[in-house]
Amino acid sequence: NLPVSVAIAQNETFFYNASIFGANSKNPLIVTLAYTDPAGSLGSADVLVNNLNLRILVTPLAGALSPNATVKQAMLAPRLYNQTVQYWGNGVLNGDPFNNVEQVRLTAAGPSEVIISVVAARIVQGLKLGPPCQPFSIVWTGQLVGFPEAPPLSSIPIDLVPGICGRPQPSAPQTGTELSVSILGLIVACSVVGLGLLVVGCYFLRRGQKKNC
């Protein structure tokens, strides 16, 4: 089981890229998305305030994987993209708009690449003050390649908005004054080191001259 908990904002999609040795009725691949939805308004027509959706793409790999296959070996294996199958959480096409827990259960698959997507279909309210962000947890169970190594995470857009959803603030660019001070400090440091090397060199040179007299 690999639980992953993060927060997502409107119009963002998170992707978890994993590989499986296969899936069957005894060892299925089960992926579950869950989140705490903010309290809605009385009489609201929408069941959910925020709506996250779970989508999974399963692409067969060309050939079998050895039992000791690594994540890198699985990533390099050829894929049969013309056989890719898409699954939505709770079996609802384009996403379930009524539940804050969604699940996909796969019971028939060979070695495959599995791309797990969390789609922020609607986020209008956060659990805390600040920009609307929706924390979520996702857990998947199955015959994972490279377990317990966490699958790589990517996103759309690639460059997520910094400073929201628990992300670090962007570092402020250096001003002209700060840059000048940094350069001056570097010059002074280099000068000190150079002077020290010169003194040491002169000392050993004088010792050598005394020995030759």
PDB file of all heavy atoms in Angstrom, residues 83-122:
ATOM      1  N   GLN A  83      -3.447  -0.423 -26.960  1.00  0.00           N
ATOM      2  CA  GLN A  83      -4.293  -1.241 -26.085  1.00  0.00           C
ATOM      3  C   GLN A  83      -4.569  -0.551 -24.737  1.00  0.00           C
ATOM      4  O   GLN A  83      -5.031  -1.180 -23.791  1.00  0.00           O
ATOM      5  CB  GLN A  83      -3.625  -2.590 -25.840  1.00  0.00           C
ATOM      6  CG  GLN A  83      -3.417  -3.418 -27.119  1.00  0.00           C
ATOM      7  CD  GLN A  83      -2.771  -4.764 -26.844  1.00  0.00           C
ATOM      8  OE1 GLN A  83      -2.919  -5.345 -25.763  1.00  0.00           O
ATOM      9  NE2 GLN A  83      -2.026  -5.273 -27.814  1.00  0.00           N
ATOM     10  N   THR A  84      -4.297   0.741 -24.656  1.00  0.00           N
ATOM     11  CA  THR A  84      -4.542   1.482 -23.417  1.00  0.00           C
ATOM     12  C   THR A  84      -6.032   1.527 -23.092  1.00  0.00           C
ATOM     13  O   THR A  84      -6.869   1.766 -23.967  1.00  0.00           O
ATOM     14  CB  THR A  84      -4.003   2.923 -23.533  1.00  0.00           C
ATOM     15  OG1 THR A  84      -2.588   2.870 -23.733  1.00  0.00           O
ATOM     16  CG2 THR A  84      -4.306   3.718 -22.269  1.00  0.00           C
ATOM     17  N   VAL A  85      -6.340   1.283 -21.817  1.00  0.00           N
ATOM     18  CA  VAL A  85      -7.739   1.312 -21.354  1.00  0.00           C
ATOM     19  C   VAL A  85      -7.861   2.359 -20.251  1.00  0.00           C
ATOM     20  O   VAL A  85      -6.990   2.462 -19.377  1.00  0.00           O
ATOM     21  CB  VAL A  85      -8.180  -0.071 -20.825  1.00  0.00           C
ATOM     22  CG1 VAL A  85      -9.632  -0.014 -20.334  1.00  0.00           C
ATOM     23  CG2 VAL A  85      -8.033  -1.124 -21.913  1.00  0.00           C
ATOM     24  N   GLN A  86      -8.940   3.124 -20.289  1.00  0.00           N
ATOM     25  CA  GLN A  86      -9.175   4.178 -19.296  1.00  0.00           C
ATOM     26  C   GLN A  86     -10.254   3.740 -18.308  1.00  0.00           C
ATOM     27  O   GLN A  86     -11.275   3.186 -18.704  1.00  0.00           O
ATOM     28  CB  GLN A  86      -9.615   5.458 -19.998  1.00  0.00           C
ATOM     29  CG  GLN A  86      -9.936   6.612 -19.068  1.00  0.00           C
ATOM     30  CD  GLN A  86     -10.278   7.884 -19.837  1.00  0.00           C
ATOM     31  OE1 GLN A  86      -9.491   8.819 -19.881  1.00  0.00           O
ATOM     32  NE2 GLN A  86     -11.449   7.921 -20.444  1.00  0.00           N
ATOM     33  N   TYR A  87     -10.004   4.021 -17.030  1.00  0.00           N
ATOM     34  CA  TYR A  87     -10.968   3.704 -15.976  1.00  0.00           C
ATOM     35  C   TYR A  87     -11.224   4.977 -15.149  1.00  0.00           C
ATOM     36  O   TYR A  87     -10.298   5.735 -14.864  1.00  0.00           O
ATOM     37  CB  TYR A  87     -10.436   2.602 -15.048  1.00  0.00           C
ATOM     38  CG  TYR A  87     -10.144   1.291 -15.740  1.00  0.00           C
ATOM     39  CD1 TYR A  87      -8.879   1.043 -16.294  1.00  0.00           C
ATOM     40  CD2 TYR A  87     -11.114   0.298 -15.842  1.00  0.00           C
ATOM     41  CE1 TYR A  87      -8.596  -0.158 -16.923  1.00  0.00           C
ATOM     42  CE2 TYR A  87     -10.830  -0.913 -16.475  1.00  0.00           C
ATOM     43  CZ  TYR A  87      -9.575  -1.124 -17.012  1.00  0.00           C
ATOM     44  OH  TYR A  87      -9.293  -2.312 -17.641  1.00  0.00           O
ATOM     45  N   TRP A  88     -12.493   5.166 -14.750  1.00  0.00           N
ATOM     46  CA  TRP A  88     -12.863   6.300 -13.902  1.00  0.00           C
ATOM     47  C   TRP A  88     -13.301   5.798 -12.532  1.00  0.00           C
ATOM     48  O   TRP A  88     -13.824   4.687 -12.394  1.00  0.00           O
ATOM     49  CB  TRP A  88     -13.994   7.107 -14.522  1.00  0.00           C
ATOM     50  CG  TRP A  88     -13.574   7.930 -15.708  1.00  0.00           C
ATOM     51  CD1 TRP A  88     -13.596   7.564 -17.026  1.00  0.00           C
ATOM     52  CD2 TRP A  88     -13.045   9.258 -15.683  1.00  0.00           C
ATOM     53  NE1 TRP A  88     -13.119   8.574 -17.815  1.00  0.00           N
ATOM     54  CE2 TRP A  88     -12.778   9.639 -17.019  1.00  0.00           C
ATOM     55  CE3 TRP A  88     -12.777  10.172 -14.669  1.00  0.00           C
ATOM     56  CZ2 TRP A  88     -12.260  10.881 -17.362  1.00  0.00           C
ATOM     57  CZ3 TRP A  88     -12.262  11.414 -15.004  1.00  0.00           C
ATOM     58  CH2 TRP A  88     -12.007  11.762 -16.332  1.00  0.00           C
ATOM     59  N   GLY A  89     -13.082   6.613 -11.517  1.00  0.00           N
ATOM     60  CA  GLY A  89     -13.467   6.243 -10.163  1.00  0.00           C
ATOM     61  C   GLY A  89     -14.950   5.927 -10.047  1.00  0.00           C
ATOM     62  O   GLY A  89     -15.796   6.636 -10.609  1.00  0.00           O
ATOM     63  N   ASN A  90     -15.255   4.842  -9.340  1.00  0.00           N
ATOM     64  CA  ASN A  90     -16.622   4.369  -9.121  1.00  0.00           C
ATOM     65  C   ASN A  90     -17.334   4.020 -10.425  1.00  0.00           C
ATOM     66  O   ASN A  90     -18.572   3.897 -10.460  1.00  0.00           O
ATOM     67  CB  ASN A  90     -17.451   5.404  -8.354  1.00  0.00           C
ATOM     68  CG  ASN A  90     -16.881   5.689  -6.985  1.00  0.00           C
ATOM     69  OD1 ASN A  90     -16.087   4.912  -6.453  1.00  0.00           O
ATOM     70  ND2 ASN A  90     -17.265   6.809  -6.388  1.00  0.00           N
ATOM     71  N   GLY A  91     -16.564   3.886 -11.513  1.00  0.00           N
ATOM     72  CA  GLY A  91     -17.149   3.495 -12.790  1.00  0.00           C
ATOM     73  C   GLY A  91     -17.985   4.584 -13.442  1.00  0.00           C
ATOM     74  O   GLY A  91     -18.758   4.294 -14.365  1.00  0.00           O
ATOM     75  N   VAL A  92     -17.831   5.836 -13.011  1.00  0.00           N
ATOM     76  CA  VAL A  92     -18.626   6.937 -13.561  1.00  0.00           C
ATOM     77  C   VAL A  92     -17.794   7.670 -14.609  1.00  0.00           C
ATOM     78  O   VAL A  92     -16.759   8.262 -14.282  1.00  0.00           O
ATOM     79  CB  VAL A  92     -19.057   7.924 -12.453  1.00  0.00           C
ATOM     80  CG1 VAL A  92     -19.874   9.067 -13.056  1.00  0.00           C
ATOM     81  CG2 VAL A  92     -19.857   7.188 -11.388  1.00  0.00           C
ATOM     82  N   LEU A  93     -18.241   7.634 -15.850  1.00  0.00           N
ATOM     83  CA  LEU A  93     -17.510   8.257 -16.942  1.00  0.00           C
ATOM     84  C   LEU A  93     -17.336   9.751 -16.689  1.00  0.00           C
ATOM     85  O   LEU A  93     -18.278  10.450 -16.310  1.00  0.00           O
ATOM     86  CB  LEU A  93     -18.255   8.032 -18.258  1.00  0.00           C
ATOM     87  CG  LEU A  93     -17.579   8.562 -19.530  1.00  0.00           C
ATOM     88  CD1 LEU A  93     -16.247   7.854 -19.772  1.00  0.00           C
ATOM     89  CD2 LEU A  93     -18.505   8.399 -20.735  1.00  0.00           C
ATOM     90  N   ASN A  94     -16.108  10.235 -16.878  1.00  0.00           N
ATOM     91  CA  ASN A  94     -15.743  11.643 -16.694  1.00  0.00           C
ATOM     92  C   ASN A  94     -15.779  12.092 -15.237  1.00  0.00           C
ATOM     93  O   ASN A  94     -15.684  13.298 -14.958  1.00  0.00           O
ATOM     94  CB  ASN A  94     -16.627  12.558 -17.540  1.00  0.00           C
ATOM     95  CG  ASN A  94     -16.443  12.315 -19.026  1.00  0.00           C
ATOM     96  OD1 ASN A  94     -15.332  12.051 -19.488  1.00  0.00           O
ATOM     97  ND2 ASN A  94     -17.534  12.372 -19.777  1.00  0.00           N
ATOM     98  N   GLY A  95     -15.897  11.145 -14.306  1.00  0.00           N
ATOM     99  CA  GLY A  95     -15.794  11.491 -12.887  1.00  0.00           C
ATOM    100  C   GLY A  95     -17.101  11.454 -12.141  1.00  0.00           C
ATOM    101  O   GLY A  95     -18.151  11.803 -12.677  1.00  0.00           O
ATOM    102  N   ASP A  96     -17.027  11.021 -10.882  1.00  0.00           N
ATOM    103  CA  ASP A  96     -18.205  10.929 -10.012  1.00  0.00           C
ATOM    104  C   ASP A  96     -18.410  12.270  -9.308  1.00  0.00           C
ATOM    105  O   ASP A  96     -17.597  12.660  -8.465  1.00  0.00           O
ATOM    106  CB  ASP A  96     -17.980   9.812  -8.984  1.00  0.00           C
ATOM    107  CG  ASP A  96     -19.205   9.553  -8.128  1.00  0.00           C
ATOM    108  OD1 ASP A  96     -20.146  10.369  -8.164  1.00  0.00           O
ATOM    109  OD2 ASP A  96     -19.220   8.533  -7.411  1.00  0.00           O
ATOM    110  N   PRO A  97     -19.512  12.995  -9.597  1.00  0.00           N
ATOM    111  CA  PRO A  97     -19.719  14.308  -8.981  1.00  0.00           C
ATOM    112  C   PRO A  97     -20.433  14.245  -7.637  1.00  0.00           C
ATOM    113  O   PRO A  97     -20.739  15.294  -7.063  1.00  0.00           O
ATOM    114  CB  PRO A  97     -20.591  15.023 -10.020  1.00  0.00           C
ATOM    115  CG  PRO A  97     -21.404  13.922 -10.628  1.00  0.00           C
ATOM    116  CD  PRO A  97     -20.532  12.700 -10.619  1.00  0.00           C
ATOM    117  N   PHE A  98     -20.700  13.039  -7.123  1.00  0.00           N
ATOM    118  CA  PHE A  98     -21.519  12.913  -5.918  1.00  0.00           C
ATOM    119  C   PHE A  98     -20.805  12.300  -4.720  1.00  0.00           C
ATOM    120  O   PHE A  98     -21.374  12.243  -3.631  1.00  0.00           O
ATOM    121  CB  PHE A  98     -22.766  12.074  -6.222  1.00  0.00           C
ATOM    122  CG  PHE A  98     -23.602  12.608  -7.348  1.00  0.00           C
ATOM    123  CD1 PHE A  98     -23.733  11.889  -8.526  1.00  0.00           C
ATOM    124  CD2 PHE A  98     -24.236  13.828  -7.244  1.00  0.00           C
ATOM    125  CE1 PHE A  98     -24.487  12.378  -9.577  1.00  0.00           C
ATOM    126  CE2 PHE A  98     -25.009  14.334  -8.281  1.00  0.00           C
ATOM    127  CZ  PHE A  98     -25.130  13.605  -9.454  1.00  0.00           C
ATOM    128  N   ASN A  99     -19.565  11.809  -4.904  1.00  0.00           N
ATOM    129  CA  ASN A  99     -18.877  11.124  -3.809  1.00  0.00           C
ATOM    130  C   ASN A  99     -17.463  11.659  -3.625  1.00  0.00           C
ATOM    131  O   ASN A  99     -16.762  11.933  -4.606  1.00  0.00           O
ATOM    132  CB  ASN A  99     -18.820   9.611  -4.078  1.00  0.00           C
ATOM    133  CG  ASN A  99     -20.193   8.964  -3.999  1.00  0.00           C
ATOM    134  OD1 ASN A  99     -20.745   8.788  -2.919  1.00  0.00           O
ATOM    135  ND2 ASN A  99     -20.746   8.601  -5.153  1.00  0.00           N
ATOM    136  N   ASN A 100     -17.046  11.786  -2.351  1.00  0.00           N
ATOM    137  CA  ASN A 100     -15.686  12.213  -2.047  1.00  0.00           C
ATOM    138  C   ASN A 100     -14.752  11.028  -1.810  1.00  0.00           C
ATOM    139  O   ASN A 100     -13.617  11.212  -1.381  1.00  0.00           O
ATOM    140  CB  ASN A 100     -15.670  13.152  -0.846  1.00  0.00           C
ATOM    141  CG  ASN A 100     -16.171  12.481   0.416  1.00  0.00           C
ATOM    142  OD1 ASN A 100     -16.985  11.565   0.361  1.00  0.00           O
ATOM    143  ND2 ASN A 100     -15.688  12.931   1.564  1.00  0.00           N
ATOM    144  N   VAL A 101     -15.234   9.831  -2.089  1.00  0.00           N
ATOM    145  CA  VAL A 101     -14.394   8.626  -2.088  1.00  0.00           C
ATOM    146  C   VAL A 101     -14.634   7.919  -3.426  1.00  0.00           C
ATOM    147  O   VAL A 101     -15.763   7.580  -3.759  1.00  0.00           O
ATOM    148  CB  VAL A 101     -14.730   7.672  -0.929  1.00  0.00           C
ATOM    149  CG1 VAL A 101     -13.871   6.406  -1.022  1.00  0.00           C
ATOM    150  CG2 VAL A 101     -14.511   8.354   0.415  1.00  0.00           C
ATOM    151  N   GLU A 102     -13.567   7.754  -4.187  1.00  0.00           N
ATOM    152  CA  GLU A 102     -13.681   7.087  -5.483  1.00  0.00           C
ATOM    153  C   GLU A 102     -12.662   5.949  -5.552  1.00  0.00           C
ATOM    154  O   GLU A 102     -11.564   6.058  -4.997  1.00  0.00           O
ATOM    155  CB  GLU A 102     -13.439   8.071  -6.632  1.00  0.00           C
ATOM    156  CG  GLU A 102     -14.463   9.199  -6.690  1.00  0.00           C
ATOM    157  CD  GLU A 102     -14.318  10.053  -7.937  1.00  0.00           C
ATOM    158  OE1 GLU A 102     -13.645   9.607  -8.892  1.00  0.00           O
ATOM    159  OE2 GLU A 102     -14.876  11.174  -7.966  1.00  0.00           O
ATOM    160  N   GLN A 103     -13.047   4.884  -6.245  1.00  0.00           N
ATOM    161  CA  GLN A 103     -12.174   3.711  -6.303  1.00  0.00           C
ATOM    162  C   GLN A 103     -12.226   3.058  -7.677  1.00  0.00           C
ATOM    163  O   GLN A 103     -13.265   3.042  -8.344  1.00  0.00           O
ATOM    164  CB  GLN A 103     -12.568   2.688  -5.240  1.00  0.00           C
ATOM    165  CG  GLN A 103     -11.617   1.509  -5.123  1.00  0.00           C
ATOM    166  CD  GLN A 103     -12.030   0.534  -4.019  1.00  0.00           C
ATOM    167  OE1 GLN A 103     -12.770  -0.417  -4.256  1.00  0.00           O
ATOM    168  NE2 GLN A 103     -11.537   0.793  -2.806  1.00  0.00           N
ATOM    169  N   VAL A 104     -11.069   2.536  -8.084  1.00  0.00           N
ATOM    170  CA  VAL A 104     -10.964   1.698  -9.282  1.00  0.00           C
ATOM    171  C   VAL A 104     -10.369   0.372  -8.850  1.00  0.00           C
ATOM    172  O   VAL A 104      -9.362   0.336  -8.130  1.00  0.00           O
ATOM    173  CB  VAL A 104     -10.070   2.350 -10.359  1.00  0.00           C
ATOM    174  CG1 VAL A 104      -9.779   1.359 -11.484  1.00  0.00           C
ATOM    175  CG2 VAL A 104     -10.738   3.597 -10.919  1.00  0.00           C
ATOM    176  N   ARG A 105     -10.993  -0.707  -9.290  1.00  0.00           N
ATOM    177  CA  ARG A 105     -10.525  -2.068  -8.959  1.00  0.00           C
ATOM    178  C   ARG A 105     -10.285  -2.814 -10.261  1.00  0.00           C
ATOM    179  O   ARG A 105     -11.200  -2.981 -11.064  1.00  0.00           O
ATOM    180  CB  ARG A 105     -11.574  -2.792  -8.105  1.00  0.00           C
ATOM    181  CG  ARG A 105     -11.161  -4.188  -7.642  1.00  0.00           C
ATOM    182  CD  ARG A 105     -12.295  -4.858  -6.893  1.00  0.00           C
ATOM    183  NE  ARG A 105     -11.969  -6.186  -6.443  1.00  0.00           N
ATOM    184  CZ  ARG A 105     -11.456  -6.488  -5.261  1.00  0.00           C
ATOM    185  NH1 ARG A 105     -11.241  -5.517  -4.390  1.00  0.00           N
ATOM    186  NH2 ARG A 105     -11.170  -7.730  -4.928  1.00  0.00           N
ATOM    187  N   LEU A 106      -9.038  -3.247 -10.463  1.00  0.00           N
ATOM    188  CA  LEU A 106      -8.652  -3.936 -11.694  1.00  0.00           C
ATOM    189  C   LEU A 106      -8.301  -5.384 -11.367  1.00  0.00           C
ATOM    190  O   LEU A 106      -7.420  -5.637 -10.544  1.00  0.00           O
ATOM    191  CB  LEU A 106      -7.449  -3.225 -12.331  1.00  0.00           C
ATOM    192  CG  LEU A 106      -6.972  -3.722 -13.687  1.00  0.00           C
ATOM    193  CD1 LEU A 106      -8.050  -3.535 -14.744  1.00  0.00           C
ATOM    194  CD2 LEU A 106      -5.699  -2.978 -14.098  1.00  0.00           C
ATOM    195  N   THR A 107      -8.981  -6.325 -12.017  1.00  0.00           N
ATOM    196  CA  THR A 107      -8.794  -7.745 -11.690  1.00  0.00           C
ATOM    197  C   THR A 107      -8.278  -8.569 -12.866  1.00  0.00           C
ATOM    198  O   THR A 107      -8.137  -9.786 -12.738  1.00  0.00           O
ATOM    199  CB  THR A 107     -10.114  -8.359 -11.200  1.00  0.00           C
ATOM    200  OG1 THR A 107     -11.111  -8.204 -12.215  1.00  0.00           O
ATOM    201  CG2 THR A 107     -10.584  -7.686  -9.922  1.00  0.00           C
ATOM    202  N   ALA A 108      -8.011  -7.936 -14.004  1.00  0.00           N
ATOM    203  CA  ALA A 108      -7.531  -8.690 -15.169  1.00  0.00           C
ATOM    204  C   ALA A 108      -6.550  -7.826 -15.955  1.00  0.00           C
ATOM    205  O   ALA A 108      -6.963  -6.941 -16.718  1.00  0.00           O
ATOM    206  CB  ALA A 108      -8.694  -9.126 -16.050  1.00  0.00           C
ATOM    207  N   ALA A 109      -5.263  -8.064 -15.751  1.00  0.00           N
ATOM    208  CA  ALA A 109      -4.240  -7.314 -16.480  1.00  0.00           C
ATOM    209  C   ALA A 109      -2.913  -8.033 -16.371  1.00  0.00           C
ATOM    210  O   ALA A 109      -2.620  -8.691 -15.365  1.00  0.00           O
ATOM    211  CB  ALA A 109      -4.108  -5.889 -15.929  1.00  0.00           C
ATOM    212  N   GLY A 110      -2.113  -7.935 -17.425  1.00  0.00           N
ATOM    213  CA  GLY A 110      -0.747  -8.433 -17.392  1.00  0.00           C
ATOM    214  C   GLY A 110       0.184  -7.311 -16.967  1.00  0.00           C
ATOM    215  O   GLY A 110      -0.266  -6.286 -16.441  1.00  0.00           O
ATOM    216  N   PRO A 111       1.486  -7.467 -17.191  1.00  0.00           N
ATOM    217  CA  PRO A 111       2.423  -6.383 -16.865  1.00  0.00           C
ATOM    218  C   PRO A 111       2.001  -5.096 -17.563  1.00  0.00           C
ATOM    219  O   PRO A 111       1.790  -5.078 -18.780  1.00  0.00           O
ATOM    220  CB  PRO A 111       3.759  -6.909 -17.385  1.00  0.00           C
ATOM    221  CG  PRO A 111       3.603  -8.397 -17.406  1.00  0.00           C
ATOM    222  CD  PRO A 111       2.175  -8.659 -17.744  1.00  0.00           C
ATOM    223  N   SER A 112       1.875  -4.027 -16.805  1.00  0.00           N
ATOM    224  CA  SER A 112       1.317  -2.798 -17.376  1.00  0.00           C
ATOM    225  C   SER A 112       1.897  -1.563 -16.719  1.00  0.00           C
ATOM    226  O   SER A 112       2.367  -1.587 -15.580  1.00  0.00           O
ATOM    227  CB  SER A 112      -0.216  -2.771 -17.196  1.00  0.00           C
ATOM    228  OG  SER A 112      -0.842  -3.896 -17.776  1.00  0.00           O
ATOM    229  N   GLU A 113       1.850  -0.482 -17.486  1.00  0.00           N
ATOM    230  CA  GLU A 113       2.076   0.849 -16.931  1.00  0.00           C
ATOM    231  C   GLU A 113       0.736   1.376 -16.449  1.00  0.00           C
ATOM    232  O   GLU A 113      -0.283   1.249 -17.139  1.00  0.00           O
ATOM    233  CB  GLU A 113       2.652   1.788 -17.983  1.00  0.00           C
ATOM    234  CG  GLU A 113       2.782   3.225 -17.509  1.00  0.00           C
ATOM    235  CD  GLU A 113       3.099   4.178 -18.638  1.00  0.00           C
ATOM    236  OE1 GLU A 113       2.325   4.210 -19.627  1.00  0.00           O
ATOM    237  OE2 GLU A 113       4.105   4.889 -18.536  1.00  0.00           O
ATOM    238  N   VAL A 114       0.727   1.974 -15.258  1.00  0.00           N
ATOM    239  CA  VAL A 114      -0.509   2.501 -14.686  1.00  0.00           C
ATOM    240  C   VAL A 114      -0.286   3.979 -14.359  1.00  0.00           C
ATOM    241  O   VAL A 114       0.576   4.317 -13.545  1.00  0.00           O
ATOM    242  CB  VAL A 114      -0.915   1.736 -13.408  1.00  0.00           C
ATOM    243  CG1 VAL A 114      -2.185   2.327 -12.815  1.00  0.00           C
ATOM    244  CG2 VAL A 114      -1.112   0.256 -13.719  1.00  0.00           C
ATOM    245  N   ILE A 115      -1.045   4.842 -15.018  1.00  0.00           N
ATOM    246  CA  ILE A 115      -0.976   6.274 -14.739  1.00  0.00           C
ATOM    247  C   ILE A 115      -2.228   6.664 -13.954  1.00  0.00           C
ATOM    248  O   ILE A 115      -3.342   6.612 -14.470  1.00  0.00           O
ATOM    249  CB  ILE A 115      -0.867   7.102 -16.023  1.00  0.00           C
ATOM    250  CG1 ILE A 115       0.410   6.723 -16.777  1.00  0.00           C
ATOM    251  CG2 ILE A 115      -0.869   8.598 -15.697  1.00  0.00           C
ATOM    252  CD1 ILE A 115       0.589   7.463 -18.081  1.00  0.00           C
ATOM    253  N   ILE A 116      -2.020   7.020 -12.694  1.00  0.00           N
ATOM    254  CA  ILE A 116      -3.106   7.383 -11.792  1.00  0.00           C
ATOM    255  C   ILE A 116      -3.222   8.903 -11.772  1.00  0.00           C
ATOM    256  O   ILE A 116      -2.259   9.598 -11.462  1.00  0.00           O
ATOM    257  CB  ILE A 116      -2.834   6.840 -10.377  1.00  0.00           C
ATOM    258  CG1 ILE A 116      -2.654   5.320 -10.428  1.00  0.00           C
ATOM    259  CG2 ILE A 116      -3.945   7.230  -9.416  1.00  0.00           C
ATOM    260  CD1 ILE A 116      -2.079   4.725  -9.158  1.00  0.00           C
ATOM    261  N   SER A 117      -4.400   9.406 -12.118  1.00  0.00           N
ATOM    262  CA  SER A 117      -4.609  10.852 -12.192  1.00  0.00           C
ATOM    263  C   SER A 117      -5.631  11.300 -11.159  1.00  0.00           C
ATOM    264  O   SER A 117      -6.662  10.651 -10.974  1.00  0.00           O
ATOM    265  CB  SER A 117      -5.098  11.260 -13.586  1.00  0.00           C
ATOM    266  OG  SER A 117      -4.219  10.817 -14.586  1.00  0.00           O
ATOM    267  N   VAL A 118      -5.329  12.410 -10.490  1.00  0.00           N
ATOM    268  CA  VAL A 118      -6.272  13.088  -9.611  1.00  0.00           C
ATOM    269  C   VAL A 118      -6.583  14.429 -10.269  1.00  0.00           C
ATOM    270  O   VAL A 118      -5.699  15.271 -10.434  1.00  0.00           O
ATOM    271  CB  VAL A 118      -5.699  13.291  -8.202  1.00  0.00           C
ATOM    272  CG1 VAL A 118      -6.695  14.041  -7.323  1.00  0.00           C
ATOM    273  CG2 VAL A 118      -5.350  11.941  -7.573  1.00  0.00           C
ATOM    274  N   VAL A 119      -7.838  14.610 -10.665  1.00  0.00           N
ATOM    275  CA  VAL A 119      -8.247  15.776 -11.440  1.00  0.00           C
ATOM    276  C   VAL A 119      -9.073  16.712 -10.556  1.00  0.00           C
ATOM    277  O   VAL A 119     -10.067  16.288  -9.956  1.00  0.00           O
ATOM    278  CB  VAL A 119      -9.077  15.350 -12.674  1.00  0.00           C
ATOM    279  CG1 VAL A 119      -9.441  16.572 -13.515  1.00  0.00           C
ATOM    280  CG2 VAL A 119      -8.318  14.319 -13.505  1.00  0.00           C
ATOM    281  N   ALA A 120      -8.657  17.972 -10.492  1.00  0.00           N
ATOM    282  CA  ALA A 120      -9.410  18.970  -9.732  1.00  0.00           C
ATOM    283  C   ALA A 120     -10.496  19.549 -10.631  1.00  0.00           C
ATOM    284  O   ALA A 120     -10.304  20.547 -11.322  1.00  0.00           O
ATOM    285  CB  ALA A 120      -8.474  20.071  -9.232  1.00  0.00           C
ATOM    286  N   ALA A 121     -11.649  18.890 -10.640  1.00  0.00           N
ATOM    287  CA  ALA A 121     -12.750  19.331 -11.497  1.00  0.00           C
ATOM    288  C   ALA A 121     -13.370  20.631 -10.997  1.00  0.00           C
ATOM    289  O   ALA A 121     -13.753  21.491 -11.784  1.00  0.00           O
ATOM    290  CB  ALA A 121     -13.815  18.239 -11.573  1.00  0.00           C
ATOM    291  N   ARG A 122     -13.481  20.773  -9.664  1.00  0.00           N
ATOM    292  CA  ARG A 122     -14.018  22.012  -9.095  1.00  0.00           C
ATOM    293  C   ARG A 122     -13.496  22.177  -7.677  1.00  0.00           C
ATOM    294  O   ARG A 122     -13.698  21.298  -6.831  1.00  0.00           O
ATOM    295  CB  ARG A 122     -15.550  22.005  -9.070  1.00  0.00           C
ATOM    296  CG  ARG A 122     -16.147  23.321  -8.535  1.00  0.00           C
ATOM    297  CD  ARG A 122     -17.667  23.313  -8.472  1.00  0.00           C
ATOM    298  NE  ARG A 122     -18.168  22.415  -7.445  1.00  0.00           N
ATOM    299  CZ  ARG A 122     -18.855  21.303  -7.690  1.00  0.00           C
ATOM    300  NH1 ARG A 122     -19.088  20.939  -8.938  1.00  0.00           N
ATOM    301  NH2 ARG A 122     -19.274  20.529  -6.709  1.00  0.00           N
TER     302      ARG A 122
END
